[in-house]
């Protein structure tokens, strides 16, 4: 097949053909369709600056600032108000940066996550997908993996770079060995945040056939409900603050990095409740997404019946 | 092996029977799938694509729809009635993505996307976002995305819906050319019977979850109905022929001294005309059948079923 001729002229009323050959090559198996959806998800996210690049820029900025603080003030000790706990800036910068990565991740969840499935429903793309050899599980897996890949650039890459930077600031080999544990910990927190902040907005997105409604409800849940439970948890000194995704992630990060000071709103949240909240949010979100997609499967094919 | 074989195919949604155990062997180049709303066309398409579970058997291109749905959908193209695109994509991006989702390698998918869009007449506009397209252009994109993965069978759902007369003509022209140019068969689901009359060679008529007719368009129109008349031209004295045919139980109208329109009795054939004319010494110079239109045949079949 070749490109159209330059003098092809207007299409109207004419049957054009570039020559046709029956495709005789191999087709990839249906089990690989999720990878195509994943690639498309990343490509779509990367297309315009406001969808992903702006948030990635914020995450890069956070990494630079936290890394800078880590380097410049590496030996400066900070203490809590009671003087009970102390840490060097080099050790505190990484766990404290999670809060900022969370903000960047929320922006991505709003500009991509909450839009994805609702947008597909709104534009009739479910028919486009499911009239092909795409099964509901391929769609769910592809969209989830695509979102995770984008989120990982914020949640995993940033903390990982900072943990490596912390290793680089070690004075000697024993200190390097002592701080080596930061790398898997940064990865673990990054993966936890990535999966939660990918799955939950997708679930909200799947509950509405309208992009704006899905975005509004996700934003309301994250910001309004999150703030309410966070304040309530602080006021009542209870686990309830763990229902806020950002607070829960910070609480787990504080525990994992053993940060005892300046824990903010997450200070009142038990880490196990926070971890349970993150896992429950993620599990429920994936279940909702799978059920909603399964329900919509084939609805548009063959008409509206 | 037929393109589509169904045996006792049944589908129920609770108390509602969408398909009532249908049997059919469907073949042809362009097959019109006809039926009023609620006839079961949509359910049949979903069952054939392996999207919904059903009772009985269904084979498409020799593949079992109950267990090989994904394989069928790799070899079948579907052009939906309603809008079905991904926002923010250009036509070439959408068609390339469609090809990849059907298992083609990316390079092949991209080449075929260009070719399909060119065939559909969108060569100059294929890089524009689909949201900016007119209704006619969106229909062409839907056709191109259904073609891109080189299907052996195409399901076209109301492809001319919402099109102005010129665009409709162009779409029908594209559809007519498809079997030859793309080496595929087409199932055309539509309410527009003139479209079927113009492009289809076979028809399937469904009503209330059952198949009422499967066959060629000629068979559909040739099946004798109330509108079927034969016109007989004689050398002279058409009135005489009308008299003898009336005695034989036919209803006759003399159109001119040499032409008579005859509605034969249910059991009679054209041979009766020749026999009676010979008896009274009349020379038959011509005999033609005015067949029913597809629309009249459709209404008759649906009417009989009701």
């Amino acid at each position: 097949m070749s490109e159209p001729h330059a003098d092809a002229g207007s299409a109207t009323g004419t049957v054009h053909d570039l020559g046709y050959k029956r495709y005789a090559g191999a087709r990839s198996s249906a089990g690989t369709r999720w990878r195509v959806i994943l690639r498309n998800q990343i490509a779509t996210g990367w297309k315009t600056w406001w969808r992903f690049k702006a948030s990635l820029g914020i995450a890069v900025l956070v990494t630079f600032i936290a890394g800078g603080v880590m380097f410049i003030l590496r030996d400066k000790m900070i203490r809590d108000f009671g003087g009970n706990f102390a840490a060097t800036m080099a050790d505190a910068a990484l766990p404290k940066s999670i809060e900022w990565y969370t903000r960047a991740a929320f922006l991505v969840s709003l500009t991509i996550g909450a839009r994805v499935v609702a947008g597909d429903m709104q534009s009739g793309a479910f028919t486009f997908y499911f009239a092909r050899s795409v099964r509901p599980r391929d769609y769910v897996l592809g969209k989830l993996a695509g979102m995770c890949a984008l989120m990982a650039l914020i949640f995993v890459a940033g903390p990982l770079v900072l943990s490596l930077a912390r290793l680089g600031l070690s004075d000697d080999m024993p200190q390097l060995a002592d701080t080596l544990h930061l790398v898997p910990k940064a990865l673990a927190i990054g993966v936890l945040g990535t999966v939660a902040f990918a799955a939950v907005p997708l679930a909200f997105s799947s509950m509405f056939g309208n992009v704006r409604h899905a975005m509004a409800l996700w934003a309301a849940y994250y910001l309004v409900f999150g703030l309410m439970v966070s304040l309530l948890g602080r006021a009542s000194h209870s686990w309830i603050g763990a229902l806020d995704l950002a607070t829960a992630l910070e609480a787990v990060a504080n525990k994992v990095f053993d940060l005892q000071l300046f824990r903010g709103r997450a200070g009142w949240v038990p880490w196990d409740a926070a971890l349970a909240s993150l896992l429950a949010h993620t599990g429920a979100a994936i279940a909702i997404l799978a059920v909603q997609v399964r329900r919509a499967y084939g609805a548009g094919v063959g008409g509206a019946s | 092996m037929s393109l589509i074989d169904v045996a006792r195919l049944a589908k129920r949604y609770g108390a509602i029977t969408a398909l009532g155990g249908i049997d059919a062997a469907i073949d042809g180049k362009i097959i019109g799938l006809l039926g009023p709303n609620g006839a079961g066309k949509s359910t049949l398409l979903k069952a054939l694509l392996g999207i919904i579970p059903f009772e009985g058997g269904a084979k498409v291109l020799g593949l079992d729809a109950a267990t090989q749905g994904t394989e069928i959908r790799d070899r079948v193209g579907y052009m939906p009635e309603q809008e079905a695109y991904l926002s923010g994509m250009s036509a070439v991006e959408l068609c390339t993505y469609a090809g990849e989702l059907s298992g083609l390698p990316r390079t092949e998918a991209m080449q075929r996307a260009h070719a399909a869009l060119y065939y559909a007449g969108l060569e100059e506009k294929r890089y524009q976002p689909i949201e900016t397209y007119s209704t006619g252009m969106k229909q062409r994109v839907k056709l191109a995305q259904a073609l891109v993965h080189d299907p052996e069978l195409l399901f076209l759902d109301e492809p001319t819906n919402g099109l102005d007369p010129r665009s409709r003509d162009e779409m029908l022209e594209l559809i007519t050319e498809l079997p030859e140019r793309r080496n595929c068969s087409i199932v055309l689901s539509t309410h527009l019977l003139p479209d079927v009359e113009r492009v289809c060679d076979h028809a399937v008529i469904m009503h209330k979850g059952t198949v009422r007719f499967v066959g060629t368009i000629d068979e559909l129109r040739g099946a004798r109905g109330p509108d079927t008349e034969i016109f007989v031209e004689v050398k002279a004295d058409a009135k005489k022929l009308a008299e003898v045919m009336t005695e034989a139980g036919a209803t006759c109208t003399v159109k001119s001294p040499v032409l008579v329109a005859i509605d034969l009795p249910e059991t009679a054939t054209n041979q009766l005309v020749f026999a009676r004319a010979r008896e009274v010494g009349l020379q038959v110079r011509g005999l033609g059948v005015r067949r029913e239109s597809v629309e009249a045949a459709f209404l008759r079949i649906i009417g009989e079923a009701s």
Side-chain angles (χ1 to χ4, degrees), chain B residues 197-211:
Chain B
E197 193 149 20
R198 180 166 155 188
V199 303
C200 293
D201 52 48
H202 282 69
V204 177
I205 296 179
M206 295 187 70
H207 187 49
K208 293 181 178 172
T210 59
V211 170

Side-chain angles (χ1 to χ4, degrees), chain B residues 3 13-14 72 83 109 194 201 205 246 256 272 278 291 293-294:
Chain B
L3 272 180
Y13 295 105
I72 289 174
E83 289 193 347
D201 52 48
I205 296 179
T246 304
S256 77
L272 180 67
R278 201 163 41 242
R291 286 175 171 175
S293 64
V294 167

Side-chain angles (χ1 to χ4, degrees), chain A residues 9 11 13 16-18 20-23 27-28 33 39-40 47 123 129 132-133 300-302 305, chain B residues 42 46 73-74 78 82 85 88-89 97 100-101 103 112 118-119 121 123-124 145 149-150 170 182-183:
Chain A
H16 299 281
D17 213 339
L18 293 173
Y20 165 78
K21 277 184 190 166
R22 171 70 72 199
Y23 178 67
R27 287 179 196 265
S28 59
R33 299 294 185 268
R39 278 204 305 271
N40 178 259
K47 218 177 214 177
S123 65
Y129 281 110
R132 302 175 191 287
S133 48
V301 176
S305 66
Chain B
S42 301
K46 286 177 190 176
R73 297 200 294 276
D74 272 348
Y78 177 68
Q82 68 276 32
Y85 58 86
M89 274 192 173
Y97 188 37
E100 286 188 272
L101 284 174
R112 286 185 180 267
Y118 191 67
Y119 178 80
E123 70 276 15
E124 292 166 1
Q145 62 83 31
H149 58 292
D150 193 22
E170 289 165 6
R182 286 291 187 271
N183 191 20

Side-chain angles (χ1 to χ4, degrees), chain A residues 34-49 51-53 56 108 111-113 116 129 141-153 202, chain B residues 86 89 93 97 106:
Chain A
W34 69 272
R35 287 189 233 157
V36 179
I37 297 172
L38 180 158
R39 278 204 305 271
N40 178 259
Q41 177 75 9
I42 295 170
T44 307
W46 196 253
K47 218 177 214 177
T48 45
W49 68 268
R51 278 200 181 106
F52 181 67
K53 288 175 189 166
L56 185 64
V108 178
T111 54
I112 300 179
V116 168
Y129 281 110
L141 190 58
K143 293 290 181 186
L144 201 55
M147 269 309 290
C148 283
L150 292 171
M151 279 293 179
L153 282 175
L202 279 179
Chain B
L86 282 79
M89 274 192 173
E93 286 169 335
Y97 188 37
R106 182 164 176 76

Side-chain angles (χ1 to χ4, degrees), chain B residues 71-136:
Chain B
E71 288 91 335
I72 289 174
R73 297 200 294 276
D74 272 348
R75 292 172 59 184
V76 170
Y78 177 68
M79 177 184 175
E81 178 185 359
Q82 68 276 32
E83 289 193 347
Y85 58 86
L86 282 79
S87 56
M89 274 192 173
S90 67
V92 75
E93 286 169 335
L94 183 90
C95 289
T96 304
Y97 188 37
E100 286 188 272
L101 284 174
S102 295
L104 298 185
R106 182 164 176 76
T107 315
E108 185 74 27
M110 193 173 281
Q111 283 176 348
R112 286 185 180 267
H114 284 284
L117 288 164
Y118 191 67
Y119 178 80
L122 280 169
E123 70 276 15
E124 292 166 1
K125 310 274 188 183
R126 62 190 192 274
Y127 295 107
Q128 289 180 10
I130 298 168
E131 288 99 324
T132 63
Y133 285 6
S134 67
T135 306

Side-chain angles (χ1 to χ4, degrees), chain B:
Chain B
M1 183 187 73
S2 301
L3 272 180
I4 298 167
D5 269 309
V6 293
R8 295 182 300 286
L9 176 61
K11 177 68 187 175
R12 288 176 188 82
Y13 295 105
I16 299 166
T17 301
L19 294 175
I22 61 176
D23 290 283
I26 301 167
D27 251 321
K29 278 293 173 194
I30 306 182
I31 304 147
L33 178 58
L34 313 174
N37 290 334
K41 304 190 297 293
S42 301
T43 306
L44 178 63
L45 285 185
K46 286 177 190 176
L48 294 177
L49 287 169
I51 287 172
I52 54 168
F54 54 84
E55 296 164 33
K59 285 194 170 186
V60 179
L61 302 169
L63 298 167
D64 186 351
T67 57
Q68 294 176 288
T70 53
E71 288 91 335
I72 289 174
R73 297 200 294 276
D74 272 348
R75 292 172 59 184
V76 170
Y78 177 68
M79 177 184 175
E81 178 185 359
Q82 68 276 32
E83 289 193 347
Y85 58 86
L86 282 79
S87 56
M89 274 192 173
S90 67
V92 75
E93 286 169 335
L94 183 90
C95 289
T96 304
Y97 188 37
E100 286 188 272
L101 284 174
S102 295
L104 298 185
R106 182 164 176 76
T107 315
E108 185 74 27
M110 193 173 281
Q111 283 176 348
R112 286 185 180 267
H114 284 284
L117 288 164
Y118 191 67
Y119 178 80
L122 280 169
E123 70 276 15
E124 292 166 1
K125 310 274 188 183
R126 62 190 192 274
Y127 295 107
Q128 289 180 10
I130 298 168
E131 288 99 324
T132 63
Y133 285 6
S134 67
T135 306
M137 288 162 73
K138 283 180 179 170
Q139 289 293 93
R140 287 170 184 267
V141 175
K142 285 197 282 181
L143 179 64
Q145 62 83 31
L147 279 174
V148 71
H149 58 292
D150 193 22
E152 293 158 57
L153 177 62
L154 267 176
F155 288 123
L156 308 182
D157 201 353
E158 304 284 1
T160 55
N161 229 10
L163 297 181
D164 59 53
R166 186 177 168 196
S167 302
R168 177 171 163 260
D169 278 350
E170 289 165 6
M171 179 58 74
L172 290 176
E173 188 184 352
L174 287 173
I175 293 168
T176 310
E177 299 270 347
L178 270 170
E180 195 180 328
R181 289 175 180 265
R182 286 291 187 271
N183 191 20
C184 64
S185 296
I186 296 172
V187 174
L188 175 67
S189 174
T190 181
H191 288 101
L192 299 173
L193 299 172
D195 288 0
V196 173
E197 193 149 20
R198 180 166 155 188
V199 303
C200 293
D201 52 48
H202 282 69
V204 177
I205 296 179
M206 295 187 70
H207 187 49
K208 293 181 178 172
T210 59
V211 170
R212 310 303 307 185
F213 175 86
V214 181
T216 65
I217 293 292
D218 283 344
E219 286 167 351
L220 175 65
R221 299 173 66 198
R224 177 174 300 159
D227 289 347
T228 308
E229 280 184 320
I230 59 170
F231 287 82
V232 182
E233 187 184 347
V234 288
K235 191 175 178 184
D237 207 356
K239 198 175 169 185
K240 180 78 176 167
L241 180 64
E243 283 170 12
V244 295
M245 288 308 298
T246 304
E247 286 168 13
T251 307
C252 302
T253 310
V254 177
K255 300 284 186 184
S256 77
V258 294
L259 187 67
V260 61
I262 302 172
D263 183 10
L264 288 170
E266 194 67 31
T267 53
T269 66
N270 296 345
Q271 292 305 316
L272 180 67
V273 179
F274 292 109
R276 287 291 171 144
R278 201 163 41 242
E279 281 170 22
V280 294
L282 292 174
Q283 186 182 347
V284 176
R285 286 190 155 176
L287 185 146
V289 178
R290 194 190 75 182
R291 286 175 171 175
E292 282 180 301
S293 64
V294 167
E295 187 167 356
F298 173 77
L299 292 172
R300 173 172 53 78
I301 287 168
I302 296 300
E304 284 168 2
S306 301

